[in-house]
Amino acid sequence: TDHGWSGNQLLMGGGIKGGQVFGEYPDDLTENGGLNIGRGRLIPTVSWNTVWNAVGLWFGVATDKISSVLPNAANFDNLLGLDDLYANT
């Protein structure tokens, strides 16, 4: 969505370390679940900034400039680096 901070993402290519899933599937999908905030909305456990941090670095964005591309990345402590996503870095 235009106002969310997460969603499903797939990365494909020869240099990607495949078979990884980041985030956690909710163990309780009922209204009483810990990630459920009502009306079918679930709080994600991983921000899209997590993945796009590594993608930005791969595209050549300098570490000290990543905040220009991902201004909200500083709000998350689980950002992925190049070695987390790419096999040959």
Side-chain angles (χ1 to χ4, degrees), residues 23-63:
E24 298 175 23
Y25 190 80
D27 58 358
D28 184 353
L29 294 173
T30 69
E31 289 291 322
N32 297 322
L35 298 176
N36 191 324
I37 60 171
R39 298 187 314 179
R41 297 172 297 163
L42 300 174
I43 298 291
T45 60
V46 174
S47 165
W48 61 269
N49 287 275
T50 297
V51 174
W52 282 95
N53 185 71
V55 174
L57 295 172
W58 182 81
F59 271 108
V61 178
T63 304

